[in-house]
Amino acid sequence: MRGDESRGISGQLSRKDRHARIGEGHIGLEALVRVVSHPVLRDLPFVLETPNELPGYASEIKLLRERRVELT
């Protein structure tokens, strides 16, 4: 599963795939937490596509893992 935060504005038809760091884009941290927490998706591997260096990726992965919740 590919996961990223969007830098683009909703409804914008630029056809550009621009990414932001987790929680800094238009999708938002809470929405991304709900995606990674969804019962159908929660055990799948995700590829994080955000503009970062290795320490930044590590902190984003940690953040998403810590915030993941059980959804019913």
Side-chain angles (χ1 to χ4, degrees):
M1 189 77 182
R2 185 181 129 194
D4 62 61
E5 176 70 278
S6 175
R7 254 183 36 195
I9 297 170
S10 180
Q12 193 177 38
L13 299 176
S14 68
R15 299 183 191 264
K16 293 181 182 176
D17 191 16
R18 302 276 172 107
H19 302 136
R21 289 184 176 95
I22 299 297
E24 296 179 8
H26 291 279
I27 296 171
L29 178 59
E30 293 307 315
L32 291 169
V33 167
R34 291 187 65 79
V35 169
V36 300
S37 298
H38 191 281
V40 174
L41 305 175
R42 73 176 288 117
D43 294 323
L44 295 178
F46 278 77
V47 174
L48 202 56
E49 292 186 348
T50 59
N52 257 318
E53 300 296 327
L54 289 180
Y57 291 129
S59 66
E60 288 183 337
I61 291 167
K62 181 181 177 195
L63 173 66
L64 289 172
R65 284 182 175 160
E66 289 173 350
R67 298 290 302 269
R68 191 167 61 177
V69 295
E70 284 291 326
L71 297 177
T72 55

